[in-house]
Amino acid sequence: MQSNIKMSRVTAKGLHLLGRKYENNILLRRKQTIAAISSLAVGYDPQAVERDKNVSRKSEKPCSGGNHGAFRMILPPPNVTGNLHLGHALNATIQDVICRHQRQMGYEIEWIPGTDHAGIATQVIVEKKLLKERGLTRHQLGRLPFMLEIWKWKRIKGDSIIQDLHKLGCILDWDKEYFTMDETQSRSVNTAFIRLFEEDLIKRRKSLVNWSCALESAISDIEVDTLELKGPTTLSVPGYKRGVEFGKIYDIKYRLYGSDEEIIVSTTRPETLLGDVAVAVHPLDPRYIKYRNQERVFLSHPFRNDLIPLIYDVAVDQNFGSGAVKITPAHDNADFEIAEQHLLEPIQVFTEQGTIVEQFEEFKGLPRFEARERMLDALSNLQLLDLVKDHSMALPICSRTKDIVEYMLRPQWFLHCKPLAEAAISEVRSGRLQIHPENFECDWYRWLEECRDWCISRQLWWGHQIPAYLATDVHGNECWIAALSENEATKKAKTKFQADVRSVVQDPDVLDTWFSSALLPLSVFNWPSSGYRSRYPLDLMATGHDILFFWVARMVMMGLKLVGEVPFKKVLLNGIICDAHGRKMSKSLGNVVTPQQVVKGATLASLETDLQHSFDAGVLDKNELKKSLKGLKKMFPNGIQKCGTDALRFTLCSHNVKTHFVNFDIAECYTNKLFLNKIWQATRYTCSAAEKLNLNLSEIETLENCPLGKWDRWILSRLADSLTTVAQSIDQHEFHMATAIFKQFFYNNLCDVYLETTKPAINGGTASGYINCATLATCLSWGIQAMSIFTPYIAEELLQYLPHNIHLQLNKHFDVHIEAEIDVILSICQAVRQVKSQNKISKKHEPLVYLFVQDCKAFGELETHLKEMRALTLTKNVFVELLTPVELKERRQHFQYFSTAGHYCSFGLQVNEIYEKKGQELPAVSDVNQKKLERLQAEVERYRTRLNDEGFRRSASEQVQQRHNQKIQQLELEIANIKNFNTS
């Protein structure tokens, strides 16, 4: 009967404030009109309910009747790479719930939608599509025509994403929608770059970056996946017709110059051998101590016909291989740092396309992994290749192209982040910026304390072209100028050179997508124009924890640097959506589903067709399609059941979104659809009851001063307590607790209990039936309005049939004593139903229940609830008798089924003679209750053990210990009762 969820008890003052909020919360502000029950469908059909509704409209004013100011957020912009996925749906639903809740509290909501151009991701998808459909590369098509193809893609996918957000019911400010490459955004991006450049925080230099040879561009760390290999593994690499093998380590001999001695180095990347500038050993490694006593030692390079030094560095791991390592600074971060300390010049091995540079005649123009095989053959012929062994390794993979990432020395633009990061750390440490959950503060500090300069340039065509110009004066001097236009760059250059300018040429590179995203809290409010000041900062930033550093930290750094204030006051981080088994959604597993597939349902055939379309468009390759189809059949052999938008939203919020991962189960989503149908049926019952009683629901204004019965008072108390706890849970972003409370109230309290108790009075047309019907309407109206933040579609539909203006003082109706009294009744009913279930006794067997108590107070309390208990136990009748223990022994013999209902009472069940004759012979009563007795004895022993524990007695309060003693007494009384009638 009663859920195990513990409800929080709040002060009368808190209830009074909540009551004032909900009294004025009119979800639909229009003249009170109740729709005819005949127009309400027999069952809940989400597709029919959602078909003609626009719950995402923003014309409504704050619901509480007052205006507490503005509440502002921006929606993290989905990438225009495809459809809205469940991760987007989770984040958008969380924010929509928050916004709707704030609107109920009386705030004007400004929640701004937009989409992100997603430079690399979008360009890769359009390139694949172009190659698949027309057999052309972007270079063959040309820059301008290719850009037109991307803009065409953006219009289709961007519109689809916005439409999906509409369908999700999000109350976004659609008239303020932005795109990260629109004119306003471009002005903000260019202004920020120029200011940071002129403050000497942005500089151009040659440095090691993550490089994708397939993209011919630098990529960010977030676009690099790590593939763990346990041994030899053949992988498909873009640009290679055959698979390339990885997972081996090669021992290569370096001969000492002027000697027959050799030093062996171990490497997993022999193709970088051409760029070796030294061999390094640890200065204390005993195997190489002898060389320290000599003058500088050199080794012969096998392919360059020159000498490289043997150097000593404490960074070398003596336990790896031979203890000697090759130093290739142009293609390895650690080697680059060692080379800088030893004043060694890097030597580039690969071109931007991943082929060997021209200076190495023997291998020039060969793709890097083909050159590897050629080099190994050559080393073998020179007797310099020693052992080749299987080796586990971590391989960096470009998440966009599946190419093997190279570390390449390239001239790039870098933003110096150290001072910006220190300021961002200070904001969290001071409490001016709050991060929830708090455990992510450790990540914040760790990432920002180790923050390196940020490579902000990309060698792409799609994105914000960097507003930097290489200026050359008449004397041939060059310098970089940051400017909004070529004319402005020319003027700035002339001033800087103090001479005429021969040319200014804009850098063709574009900015990292995260650079423009980092400015969104400013750019959406038209910064740098002065109008932004009245709307900055935001109140909350809600996003996934996986981009805490890549996006949130950078927004904070940019906001502090450019305008001197954090861009938001609080950060709420949600987990990553996984499937029901806790696996990340991926193409290879075939477990990726879109929100609309869950909302509308999908057959297995339609899911397979969607995958085929992705393959036809070039988004999936042949191997990905094959894996996806296989995973799809395993995950959804019968397709996906239609659940509806409200069930999707409710299910997404039914998880603790602040955990690291959120496991989404479509079966649970369908269960929540059935829960909504339960509310639908309760509304139909209430409206039908009103029609039967000739009661006009629209005339119900208040229940104050009505002659409410105990069960009316109980359900109103449950309503008050539930709505209070819901409001607290949402304020703390504990959405899963709020949804659990709604399910408990509507399912356990209202539908399964109170509604059942109203049937005799309503069917009989008695005076109390009118009170029951009005109470039902009140609970449904207030409960549905409160739940509308999670389920807006069904709320708008059902509230047409219910009064949504009913005055109710929640603090007045919260009653801990009536709840305790009804809890006793419900526990007795549960015990009776359990015995009925164990013995397969149904209503057709006309069961009679006799309750036996031993004191007058208990007799009086039970006697007032017999009618409700009959309804809740589904029995023909319920009686109560006051008996002594001796009399109880005598009465027990008249019942085939006998048990206890806690310490409150004992009860017996009688069934009609037909059932007794047809039924199978059942064990004796003592056998039936033996398991129950054993369970109770074990439970009382646990309580005694705890009370006897010295540590518990020291730490537990006197009140807690009293409750334990009381529980022991209650259990002992029930045990005594069972033993008593077992021995009779």
Side-chain angles (χ1 to χ4, degrees), residues 590-608:
N591 60 353
V592 177
V593 293
T594 67
Q596 286 307 304
Q597 287 171 336
V598 178
V599 169
K600 296 179 180 178
T603 63
L604 178 60
S606 69
L607 293 171
E608 291 173 335

Side-chain angles (χ1 to χ4, degrees), residues 821-840:
E821 181 177 335
I822 299 300
D823 281 350
V824 170
I825 304 303
L826 294 178
S827 68
I828 294 171
C829 292
Q830 185 178 27
V832 172
R833 287 207 312 271
Q834 190 173 20
V835 169
K836 284 179 60 188
S837 175
Q838 288 171 347
N839 296 282
K840 299 180 181 179

Side-chain angles (χ1 to χ4, degrees), residues 664-679:
F664 179 83
D665 188 351
I666 292 174
E668 182 185 351
C669 197
Y670 186 76
T671 299
N672 284 327
K673 176 194 171 184
L674 300 180
F675 162 64
L676 297 179
N677 182 59
K678 192 81 169 178
I679 298 172

Side-chain angles (χ1 to χ4, degrees), residues 327-364:
I327 303 300
T328 319
H331 299 286
D332 184 277
N333 283 310
D335 291 1
F336 183 78
E337 292 177 6
I338 291 174
E340 277 195 325
Q341 294 171 12
H342 292 268
L343 304 178
L344 299 170
E345 285 295 322
I347 297 175
Q348 192 76 30
V349 177
F350 309 121
T351 65
E352 294 175 346
Q353 295 78 27
T355 59
I356 305 299
V357 296
E358 289 191 358
Q359 71 187 74
F360 301 112
E361 185 67 30
E362 187 178 351
F363 307 102
K364 70 177 181 179

Side-chain angles (χ1 to χ4, degrees), residues 9 712-722 745 810 813-816 818-819:
R9 307 297 182 179
D712 304 316
R713 288 163 52 201
W714 171 77
I715 195 61
L716 290 174
S717 181
R718 295 304 312 124
L719 175 70
D721 187 59
S722 298
F745 175 74
L810 289 182
H813 290 284
F814 179 69
D815 189 334
V816 66
I818 196 69
E819 290 205 22

Side-chain angles (χ1 to χ4, degrees), residues 256-257 263 291-292 294-299 308-312:
L256 272 68
Y257 177 67
I263 292 180
Y291 300 120
R292 297 209 65 183
Q294 304 176 21
E295 291 187 11
R296 199 168 188 193
V297 176
F298 289 90
L299 304 102
I308 61 174
L310 178 67
I311 61 174
Y312 306 91

Side-chain angles (χ1 to χ4, degrees), residues 1-170:
M1 282 289 210
Q2 294 286 62
S3 168
N4 289 328
I5 297 172
K6 299 297 182 183
M7 291 298 181
S8 63
R9 307 297 182 179
V10 297
T11 63
K13 180 180 178 183
L15 277 165
H16 176 66
L17 291 173
L18 184 74
R20 288 184 58 191
K21 164 192 164 184
Y22 279 109
E23 285 165 23
N24 298 300
N25 174 20
I26 304 168
L27 184 70
L28 306 173
R29 287 193 175 270
R30 58 181 180 235
K31 185 177 179 181
Q32 180 73 43
T33 304
I34 301 295
I37 180 61
S38 58
S39 63
L40 184 60
V42 174
Y44 170 53
D45 179 2
Q47 201 163 342
V49 169
E50 296 165 18
R51 186 177 296 123
D52 301 318
K53 287 185 176 58
N54 180 18
V55 298
S56 62
R57 61 188 179 277
K58 280 300 300 287
S59 59
E60 298 166 6
K61 297 296 180 185
C63 294
S64 73
N67 189 347
H68 301 306
F71 181 86
R72 295 188 176 90
M73 291 198 305
I74 60 172
L75 181 74
N79 295 341
V80 289
T81 49
N83 298 321
L84 204 71
H85 57 62
L86 279 177
H88 295 131
L90 171 67
N91 187 252
T93 301
I94 290 169
Q95 293 186 57
D96 190 60
V97 167
I98 292 169
C99 283
R100 288 176 182 273
H101 178 65
Q102 292 295 323
R103 189 177 67 179
Q104 286 185 346
M105 297 295 289
Y107 289 89
E108 288 275 6
I109 303 303
E110 186 173 16
W111 183 27
I112 302 176
T115 48
D116 196 297
H117 67 280
I120 291 177
T122 304
Q123 180 166 313
V124 167
I125 284 179
V126 176
E127 282 194 76
K128 286 182 177 179
K129 181 175 182 291
L130 184 66
L131 190 63
K132 179 82 175 177
E133 294 178 350
R134 298 163 62 181
L136 294 173
T137 66
R138 62 182 164 108
H139 297 286
Q140 291 171 325
L141 188 64
R143 184 159 188 158
L144 181 57
F146 180 73
M147 293 295 285
L148 292 174
E149 288 292 322
I150 294 188
W151 277 106
K152 189 190 301 181
W153 172 274
K154 179 268 169 188
R155 281 191 294 273
I156 295 170
K157 292 302 178 181
D159 290 349
S160 173
I161 287 168
I162 295 302
Q163 189 60 37
D164 281 349
L165 289 169
H166 271 289
K167 291 175 182 175
L168 202 57
C170 298

Side-chain angles (χ1 to χ4, degrees), residues 165 197 216 294 392 494 932:
L165 289 169
F197 176 87
E216 298 179 36
Q294 304 176 21
S392 59
K494 188 172 183 180
K932 186 172 187 177

